Amino acid sequence: MIGIFDSGFGGLTVFKEIKKALPDYNYIYLGDNLRAPYGDRGQEIIYQFTEQAVNFLFKQGCDLVILACNTASSDALKKLQQEWLPANYPNGRILGVIRPLTEEATKVSRFGKIGVVGTTATIKSGAYLRELKHLSSLARLCPTIKAWQQACPLLVPLIEEGWLDKTETRMILKKYLRPLKDQQIDTLILGCTHYPLLMKEFKRLCGKRVNVLNAPKIIAAKLVDYLQRHPELEQKLVKQKAVRYLTTGDPKTFSKLGGKFIGLEISAEKIVL
Ligand code: DGL
């Protein structure tokens, strides 16, 4: 079984594309809505919460857990992969979203000028910049990558309020993007699960010369590729098309709001972490 973890609803944008690309598998989606948002919390608490959630998903029988949340990927993934997993579930796998997005960005960027937007915690962690630097030192294709990042803390609450078409949201987004545009970036990584819901605005404000990456589609395509390269894991995954949605918050609210993120009617169950 594949587990998908997010701090709340946002990861459903990613899960939607994963389910489209890989419809046959069994999935558990877990949103820690009770303790969301993670984006303005500190690194240690984000790690603790993520470890609890991942532990829960492995206990449910997951073989692979995807951290769809950028904040959790930035602040918890490395330690989970390097220390926690070998000690607790040596046969389990945990993947995040930073590697697939930075790989794609370095591949498609024309002039190696990459911008990253995300929550305060994601940006503070420097995880995207570190990964871009690492890839740029490996790849001969794009050795001169330069990257800039911008925290956009107001976007998650605005998106959750449904303020997608409001002038206020547009003005705030414009202000956030200004410093990146001043650097003449050619590629933009939307390093937050919620931002794809503002894709049209991002594209419009960035202009035609900037490639705004469609994060959920890229993550889904990289997962397809990953499973092809790891048949020993792929063979273990149950394929009965069963999906469960779990939340630490109110299941009714999750079903209603989550349904909007995924574009489906869903019914969530409450769990305690
Ligand atoms: N899911 C988070 C992310 O992708 C955004 C919401 C939050 O701050 O918890 O960074």
Side-chain angles (χ1 to χ4, degrees):
M1 187 157 49
I2 302 178
I4 313 277
F5 171 65
D6 183 51
S7 55
F9 304 115
L12 290 169
T13 56
V14 176
F15 181 46
K16 183 179 176 180
E17 293 302 327
I18 290 181
K19 213 156 69 71
K20 227 191 258 171
L22 297 162
D24 294 335
Y25 298 102
N26 284 15
Y27 294 96
I28 300 187
Y29 180 96
L30 171 58
D32 189 9
N33 296 75
L34 188 67
R35 304 186 292 193
Y38 281 13
D40 32 22
R41 291 184 182 273
Q43 194 264 330
E44 263 174 45
I45 202 82
I46 294 168
Y47 176 80
Q48 260 179 41
F49 289 173
T50 308
E51 188 196 281
Q52 287 167 4
V54 166
N55 191 31
F56 176 91
L57 287 168
F58 281 116
K59 276 209 181 117
Q60 296 290 309
C62 288
D63 307 287
L64 165 68
V65 172
I66 317 273
L67 303 185
C69 180
N70 291 262
T71 305
S73 295
S74 300
D75 278 329
L77 180 66
K78 280 262 143 58
K79 192 166 162 196
L80 285 172
Q81 283 176 331
Q82 287 166 6
E83 296 171 29
W84 185 83
L85 203 56
N88 292 280
Y89 296 93
N91 296 322
R93 307 284 175 93
I94 309 177
L95 300 174
V97 292
I98 297 173
R99 176 56 73 87
L101 296 177
T102 47
E103 263 177 15
E104 184 70 11
T106 51
K107 205 170 96 191
V108 302
S109 172
R110 280 192 300 159
F111 306 110
K113 298 180 110 187
I114 299 172
V116 182
V117 281
T119 64
T120 303
T122 295
I123 297 307
K124 214 163 140 194
S125 77
Y128 271 99
L129 297 192
R130 263 198 309 281
E131 195 68 29
L132 284 166
K133 204 168 157 197
H134 171 67
L135 289 176
S136 132
S137 70
L138 289 181
R140 285 190 198 105
L141 285 174
C142 229
T144 53
I145 282 174
K146 279 193 167 174
W148 295 269
Q149 55 175 6
Q150 176 67 43
C152 309
L154 295 173
L155 295 187
V156 166
L158 287 169
I159 293 167
E160 292 203 352
E161 273 304 305
W163 282 32
L164 301 179
D165 287 325
K166 301 255 186 191
T167 323
E168 291 85 345
T169 306
R170 227 165 278 148
M171 277 166 56
I172 290 166
L173 184 55
K174 193 172 173 189
K175 196 156 168 50
Y176 282 146
L177 290 174
R178 187 74 261 165
L180 299 177
K181 286 188 77 176
D182 286 346
Q183 298 297 339
Q184 298 186 316
I185 57 160
D186 63 71
T187 302
L188 180 65
I189 298 177
L190 301 188
C192 174
T193 48
H194 288 55
Y195 301 173
L197 292 164
L198 287 175
M199 188 64 163
K200 247 186 11 209
E201 273 316 306
F202 269 105
K203 280 192 166 160
R204 200 179 65 79
L205 289 167
C206 284
K208 281 202 190 102
R209 268 185 236 133
V210 180
N211 190 347
V212 182
L213 299 187
N214 186 328
K217 276 212 160 68
I218 293 164
I219 295 160
K222 297 272 181 188
L223 180 58
V224 172
D225 178 57
Y226 181 86
L227 291 178
Q228 277 166 1
R229 287 186 289 111
H230 293 85
E232 75 297 345
L233 170 67
E234 199 281 333
Q235 277 150 24
K236 280 200 274 180
L237 300 172
V238 184
K239 300 172 193 75
Q240 293 166 334
K241 302 184 181 191
V243 182
R244 285 174 72 198
Y245 296 92
L246 309 180
T247 176
T248 56
D250 173 37
K252 276 196 190 132
T253 314
F254 187 96
S255 306
K256 202 171 142 203
L257 261 174
K260 284 191 188 157
F261 273 82
I262 198 164
L264 276 178
E265 244 183 59
I266 60 176
S267 168
E269 307 159 46
K270 181 166 172 82
I271 60 119
V272 178
L273 281 179

